[in-house]
Amino acid sequence: MREIFNRVENNDAVSIEVDVEADDFEGSNPWLFSVFVKSDNISENSDSFDEFLETKESLIIALEHEKKAKYVGTRVNEGWHEFYFYAKDYKNLEKFVSKMLKVSGYKYYCIVVKDAKWDFYHKNLFPSELEFHNIQSDKIIFLLEEEGDNLSIPRDVEHYLSFDTATQKERFVKNVLEFGFEFKDDISSEEFEHGVALIKKHSVVSEDVKKVVEDLYELVKKEHGYYEGWSTVLVTSDD
């Protein structure tokens, strides 16, 4: 399953696509094969971008089927699309890719290194816990927008958090109220007995949600708790 998110590294924005279930192949594919393709003259929502995506998917399918190389993700940075695979055998991988990409006209180069522990995948592609929350937030926002929500209208948004102990939860709630959150209810689940629902009024524009989630995440981690997600009601311009 592929997920897409953004990350800032050394003050540069990096767009990442990652197969979050790729590590099922970790034990059998020790070679990291990287294909770097120049794409700075390709604009999104254009025919050239569609052609580029077709080339990318054709390359992935061919490498997975012919060379048993598992596609694990892409990083886009400074005009380069970096495609990453883990392979059982590195022999002839570059030659195989060259046959496909020479006719495309794209500037490219390849690198292969041994990475039996999949360090690159875990450190440079796989999302952190907070990045996973941001991914889920974007999915909720997309669904709201599809239903005609006016994302910029502030509304009550419920945020859910859980803790291992009641003491952790009590300390957290006391502290978080100073940051504009309101206590709504105690909640529990099969996994965590000590949970809490909080309310804060804000828009559900991606930047605003990300800021609130990141603030809550930082606060809850101080009490060794867990941020579980958020929900809200649909709000249109007619409401």
Side-chain angles (χ1 to χ4, degrees):
M1 181 174 66
R2 297 184 192 178
E3 301 285 6
I4 297 174
F5 64 101
N6 295 315
R7 176 182 290 173
V8 176
E9 295 179 353
N10 300 320
N11 296 321
D12 292 326
V14 181
S15 176
I16 298 174
E17 176 184 81
V18 58
D19 183 342
V20 295
E21 298 174 346
D23 53 359
D24 291 343
F25 296 80
E26 185 171 337
S28 58
N29 291 40
W31 295 97
L32 173 64
F33 180 56
S34 311
V35 182
F36 299 83
V37 182
K38 193 68 170 176
S39 59
D40 53 0
N41 293 324
I42 301 171
S43 59
E44 291 192 26
N45 301 317
S46 66
D47 291 341
S48 60
F49 188 70
D50 290 340
E51 291 174 5
F52 180 79
L53 291 182
E54 288 179 10
T55 300
K56 168 190 171 182
E57 293 303 324
S58 297
L59 182 65
I60 291 171
I61 292 170
L63 278 168
E64 289 192 333
H65 284 256
E66 298 294 330
K67 292 298 181 179
K68 309 303 179 186
K70 174 60 183 174
Y71 170 73
V72 296
T74 296
R75 288 166 55 92
V76 183
N77 188 21
E78 296 185 346
W80 288 90
H81 274 69
E82 309 165 3
F83 307 140
Y84 295 99
F85 303 81
Y86 279 92
K88 293 182 179 181
D89 188 350
Y90 68 90
K91 295 179 181 178
N92 298 319
L93 285 176
E94 185 172 356
K95 183 178 180 181
F96 183 83
V97 169
S98 294
K99 287 183 179 180
M100 294 192 65
L101 291 184
K102 276 185 177 179
V103 296
S104 70
Y106 298 124
K107 180 180 179 181
Y108 69 93
Y109 65 96
C110 306
I111 297 175
V112 61
V113 296
K114 193 166 187 179
D115 183 16
K117 294 183 179 181
W118 283 40
D119 285 337
F120 185 88
Y121 172 78
H122 293 296
K123 294 177 181 178
N124 297 285
L125 291 170
F126 200 81
S128 66
E129 183 181 350
L130 180 55
E131 286 169 337
F132 261 121
H133 288 307
N134 290 333
I135 289 169
Q136 294 306 311
S137 291
D138 286 340
K139 290 180 179 180
I140 296 172
I141 292 168
F142 174 80
L143 292 175
L144 288 171
E145 197 167 22
E146 286 286 291
E147 293 297 324
D149 193 292
N150 186 337
L151 305 178
S152 64
I153 297 178
R155 81 289 304 271
D156 285 344
V157 181
E158 293 188 19
H159 295 268
Y160 310 105
L161 307 104
S162 58
F163 303 84
D164 294 320
T165 70
T167 302
Q168 290 172 337
K169 183 182 75 172
E170 291 167 4
R171 281 199 303 258
F172 169 79
V173 170
K174 181 179 179 181
N175 185 38
V176 79
L177 296 181
E178 299 177 5
F179 291 85
F181 293 89
E182 297 179 13
F183 172 83
K184 181 183 179 182
D185 201 4
D186 290 314
I187 57 177
S188 62
S189 64
E190 292 183 4
E191 187 175 2
F192 295 102
E193 179 182 354
H194 309 288
V196 63
L198 302 174
I199 292 178
K200 187 168 187 176
K201 193 168 187 176
H202 59 82
S203 83
V204 289
V205 174
S206 180
E207 293 79 6
D208 292 344
V209 171
K210 185 176 180 181
K211 177 65 167 59
V212 174
V213 170
E214 290 180 350
D215 287 347
L216 268 178
Y217 183 83
E218 181 178 352
L219 290 169
V220 78
K221 285 305 173 184
K222 290 180 179 179
E223 293 297 340
H224 308 288
Y226 310 91
Y227 182 78
E228 303 288 357
W230 60 273
S231 68
T232 192
V233 295
L234 185 69
V235 177
T236 68
S237 56
D238 296 327
D239 292 338

